[in-house]
Amino acid sequence: MANPELFKDLSSRRLTWLRFKRHKLALVSGGFLIFLYFIAAFCEFFAPYEPNWRNPKAIFAPPQEIHFIDNQGDFHFRPFVYGYSLTINPETWVREYTQDPQQTHSIYFFAKGQKYQFWNLFSAEHHFITTASGQYLHLFGTDKLGRDIFSRIIYGARISLSLGLIGVALTLVLGVLIGGIAGYVGGRIDNLIQRIIEVLQSIPTLPLWMALSAAVPVHWSPLGVYFSIIVILSFIQWTGLARVVRGRFLALREEDFVVAARLLGASQLRIITRHLLPSFMSHIITTATLAIPGMILAETALSFLGVGLRAPVVSWGVLLQQAQNFQVIVLTPWLLLPGIFVILVVIAFNLLGDGLRDAADPYGGHQS
Amino acid sequence: MSIDTILSIRGLSVMFKTEIGEHLAVNNVSLDMKRSQTTAIVGESGSGKSVTAYAMMRLIQAPGKITSGQIICTPAQQESFDVLQLADNSDALYHLRGGLMAMIFQEPMTALSPVHTIGNQVMEAILTHQSVTKAEAFELACAMLDRVGIADASQRMQQYPFEFSGGMRQRVMIAMALVCKPQILICDEPTTALDVTIQAEILALLKELKETIQISLLFITHDLAVVAQIADQVMVMNQGRVLETGSVRQILNDPIHPYTQNLIAAVPGMKQQDRLRPVSNKPDPTDYPSYSLIPVKGDRQVALPVSLIPEEYHL
Amino acid sequence: MTDNILEVNNFSVKFPLMKRGLLSRQVGEFTAVNNVSFSVQRGSSLGIVGESGSGKTTLVRAILRAIDPASGSAVFQSHTGAVDLCQLSNKALIPLRMQMQMIFQDPFASLNPRMKVADIVSEPLVIHRPEQHREHRQMVIHMLERVGLEADTLHRFPHAFSGGQRQRIGIARALILNPSLVICDEAVSALDVSVQAQVLNLLVDLQQEMNLTYIFVAHDLNVVHHFCEQALVMYHGSVVESGPVEQIFTSPRHDYTRLLLSAIPSLDPDIKLSPLDRNSLSLE
């Protein structure tokens, strides 16, 4: 419908961007995810504490609130939290923390705090937020060993989020390669690959994952477990993508512009790299974006069940393992906070994927 | 039979908003459809001819919007009303689509559901607009399919659209459009996707229907030869505007507007010519600047300034 | 002396009918083109007309070996001598592809939407004349001028153009290697009538300048009548009539040709359409 003259000089990438910009939710989700990945990349700096540091003064302590006005009614530019005072309930013997207005712990930005090894490259001690030594800051509370949940969520983001990305990258390679072969070669090989995919997809995923991850040796290093979990997850996930790629290949192979290239005498390699792959790159990116939350959820599920990543590795799934019983929900609900982050990230990826999908189809309904 | 106006469009404009700006697809179009006649809108792609028809049935959807105009409809033995004043989702609008006006499309396959039998789809159309029993609907559907030239109608009602050829599907579409006895049938390029022999059959069917059931046809096409065969009144559109209106003989044998003249000259004829005379189709409004329609001799109108209209046409 | 650039003899194309299942197998075959023979004179235009499903597109695509023919021969007079296109391997065909090109029906589908015009038009050069890469740009600009496009189109994408302009880009791509045989597969069917006239005129001009031979596939008989000297009429995969266009149009011999001609609407409102009745004709 639109006047084609107005589209002059716009590349299809630019058009896609123009269309994507109209999806406000997708745009916000994209921004949110970039923000999270940024924090995860520099988690040592953003987290106030090491993930395994224990605060003996705070076991199962609730989140602290940030204040600007003290109990005298005076306003402070520097935000502060109140320290805990511990009482033991004489009837139930439960430790109860109350926030004690007598102890104010000021929050400092870009100040020196705990020493840490940044990316295992050099040691540093500046943190985005921290308190003076001897004082403490637990914005999301602490767990049964007195470890800071806020710091652990930030460290867990690094593992959980990167696992999604690397896993999907591996899925992509497998899916595009195998699906591409099936779609382009066709015939007997296509038939064989199709049947293998059907068999793989018919196996219930969770038991299969559990069986495979149970086979990962206990004595492997955390990094080894991390990569074996990625491989296990990708092993199932590629089948869906391979099907998509195969379908697109089959459809595109008959497109006029591909036939035209063949009649020009273009080699198979040229047809695949110059004509076929660019034509469904956007499709692949969209599918991949929508596959990332699946990866993250799968990791969370496995770790929650205790067959995925294991302590001392910190991932959101590992953190949620602590929230397995009813007592937690009643007495220490802040241990469920990692779950909120899982939900937010999954929703954000889905919204982003939807936006990308709508934007990436520039020729759907173009002709009047 | 008196010739009066069944539908009158006044100053219709439709705007489309896109990522990069606004586009006036229909620009101040006026049109009178005479009862029981065939009015053809001729134009090339992007002329706004389909959008005009969609506006008549209130089928314009976002990003499109009707920005101004009136569409006065005067059904037989009824008060006239403005189509654009009907509330969305109102009963009156519901009655308008399918009941008063019906539409057939260029590609019947996209308008038919592939998973339902032809019979079910035709009966569905009957049952939604008329209060009849299923058995009666079956009889009506059968009779209508027979009426549009589908042999063994009761047998073929059990079949699915993919078992029908393109021409047969278009006949089914016509049958579905006619079951509720509409007074206006809008045909949006109904023969463009068909082979020439099938096109001839469909044109013959539409002509015969017009004469026997006195339906008013609005025929949208880019093919001037089809216009010559079916139309009574013709309206030539370009870039969302009307350039010329008149009877089919006036437009085809004696065009006034240079665009119409060029369009006719560009058709490869049955006699061999050396060269075709092409028209510039570039969206360049300076080719045919926006003059408003003025009436000229012989009850026709042309969008040219008086100075450019040859003397003999002046009133 | 006849100078035939292409001679097609007893040419047939068959498609296998497959039964879908766990292991798909062939259960029969469908003959799309049945024992077709014709020849095309160098520098002339041959029209192939027929309704949808008549096998006309399959025939020309099989001659160019986009589809493999089942039997028959298609002898092409290349620069280096006569070759039977049906006998060559895909690899041996590649150098010949410079000399035979195709213009497609759909100007939207036949250009890669993700390539710039410069890359689309220069692709044949990149494939066949990689050693002259310095001159490619100049050759592309020259070719675009010849088809009536400005040099500033080079860096735009196909979606910036109207249907007629896109078809010109497709023509530029087909002609940049200076082919001798050009197959136009419904090349003007998707265009508006005014643009169709421009493109037809352009094709005529280029034919004279470059001594091109056209095989012109169309369902619009008027276009073939206007454009071609010789024509074939196809029906259900077979040629039912062939000969000079004037003869076919003025004194058709086959009933199917008569049926087609009777169905063409006239531009004159006073000449009423009176198509023959399909059922009263002996078409097989």
Side-chain angles (χ1 to χ4, degrees), chain A residues 158-159 162-163 166 221-231 309:
Chain A
R158 171 177 284 182
I159 300 292
S162 67
L163 190 137
I166 299 174
S221 70
L223 198 69
V225 176
Y226 173 79
F227 280 112
S228 44
I229 292 293
I230 288 179
V231 170
L309 298 170

Side-chain angles (χ1 to χ4, degrees), chain B residues 44-45 195-197 199-200 207 224-225 228-229 249 252-253 263 266-268 270 272-273 275-276 278-279 281, chain C residues 51-52 192-194 196-198 200-201 205 222 225-226 246 249 263 265-267 269-273 275 278:
Chain B
E44 300 189 283
S45 47
D195 282 319
V196 59
T197 52
Q199 166 173 290
K207 264 165 97 168
L224 288 163
Q229 295 305 316
R249 285 186 182 77
L252 286 175
N253 298 341
L263 207 56
V267 179
M270 288 299 289
Q272 270 196 322
Q273 308 148 261
R275 277 187 87 71
L276 300 167
V279 199
N281 186 46
Chain C
E51 296 185 285
S52 50
D192 278 327
V193 60
S194 60
Q196 172 178 311
Q198 294 167 11
L200 284 174
N201 286 342
D205 293 343
N222 284 337
H225 190 196
H226 169 79
E246 271 315 314
F249 274 71
S266 165
L267 207 48
D270 294 315
I271 301 177
K272 288 294 170 202
L273 191 57
R278 193 179 267 267

Side-chain angles (χ1 to χ4, degrees), chain B:
Chain B
M1 185 184 71
S2 73
I3 295 180
D4 55 342
T5 306
I6 185 164
L7 190 105
S8 167
I9 299 179
R10 287 285 163 267
L12 179 73
S13 294
V14 182
M15 171 89 86
F16 279 80
K17 277 190 180 154
T18 65
E19 294 90 347
I20 37 167
E22 293 175 340
H23 174 60
L24 205 54
V26 173
N27 186 355
N28 196 18
V29 162
S30 297
L31 154 81
D32 286 320
M33 262 183 82
K34 303 236 170 68
R35 204 181 297 278
S36 311
Q37 290 211 351
T38 302
T39 309
I41 306 182
V42 197
E44 300 189 283
S45 47
S47 61
K49 56 189 192 300
S50 292
V51 179
T52 306
Y54 277 68
M56 282 171 53
M57 289 186 83
R58 291 278 299 278
L59 290 171
I60 304 286
Q61 289 179 333
K65 195 172 181 297
I66 297 170
T67 49
S68 66
Q70 285 181 312
I71 299 177
I72 307 294
C73 185
T74 316
Q77 283 102 43
Q78 278 182 49
E79 288 292 300
S80 56
F81 62 94
D82 185 350
V83 174
L84 298 184
Q85 297 301 322
L86 299 178
D88 288 338
N89 305 320
S90 66
D91 283 350
L93 189 60
Y94 188 65
H95 176 70
L96 176 90
R97 296 180 188 149
L100 194 56
M101 296 181 194
M103 193 158 181
I104 59 176
F105 303 90
Q106 177 175 348
E107 189 25 87
M109 198 59 192
T110 53
L112 288 169
S113 158
V115 296
H116 293 106
T117 61
I118 292 294
N120 274 340
Q121 298 188 51
V122 180
M123 282 164 65
E124 177 83 30
I126 297 173
L127 291 167
T128 40
H129 284 281
Q130 296 176 22
S131 47
V132 291
T133 65
K134 264 203 142 167
E136 286 167 333
F138 183 86
E139 287 304 315
L140 281 170
C142 218
M144 188 50 79
L145 289 175
D146 191 51
R147 179 76 186 76
V148 297
I150 294 176
D152 293 332
S154 58
Q155 290 290 312
R156 303 215 70 178
M157 278 172 71
Q158 313 300 323
Q159 294 181 325
Y160 289 88
F162 68 86
E163 298 175 82
F164 280 59
S165 67
M168 282 296 157
R169 279 185 216 133
Q170 200 57 284
R171 285 176 193 268
V172 172
M173 285 305 299
I174 295 171
M176 281 175 70
L178 294 182
V179 281
C180 299
K181 304 190 174 60
Q183 300 188 18
I184 298 173
L185 180 64
I186 301 172
C187 311
D188 186 5
E189 305 255 11
T191 61
T192 306
L194 301 176
D195 282 319
V196 59
T197 52
I198 312 297
Q199 166 173 290
E201 292 170 14
I202 297 290
L203 289 179
L205 170 65
L206 287 172
K207 264 165 97 168
E208 186 253 333
L209 286 172
K210 184 191 83 177
E211 268 143 36
T212 50
I213 62 175
Q214 314 258 309
I215 197 167
S216 313
L217 291 183
L218 182 69
F219 205 93
I220 295 157
T221 183
H222 68 277
D223 190 334
L224 288 163
V226 169
V227 170
Q229 295 305 316
I230 194 141
D232 300 308
Q233 297 291 318
V234 181
M235 176 166 112
V236 182
M237 281 186 78
N238 175 263
Q239 303 297 323
R241 292 183 306 107
V242 182
L243 298 186
E244 187 165 3
T245 67
S247 75
V248 65
R249 285 186 182 77
Q250 287 169 337
I251 298 287
L252 286 175
N253 298 341
D254 183 23
I256 302 174
H257 200 287
Y259 177 77
T260 319
Q261 293 168 355
N262 287 339
L263 207 56
I264 294 168
V267 179
M270 288 299 289
K271 51 186 180 300
Q272 270 196 322
Q273 308 148 261
D274 281 349
R275 277 187 87 71
L276 300 167
R277 272 175 47 205
V279 199
S280 165
N281 186 46
K282 277 202 189 130
D284 184 359
T286 54
D287 284 358
Y288 306 107
S290 49
Y291 305 121
S292 50
L293 279 175
I294 54 172
V296 292
K297 230 175 219 163
D299 196 21
R300 55 198 289 198
Q301 293 171 297
V302 61
L304 282 176
V306 181
S307 58
L308 290 181
I309 301 174
E311 284 280 335
E312 68 261 33
Y313 297 106
H314 287 190
L315 280 176

Side-chain angles (χ1 to χ4, degrees), chain A residues 36 145 338:
Chain A
L36 276 191
L145 298 174

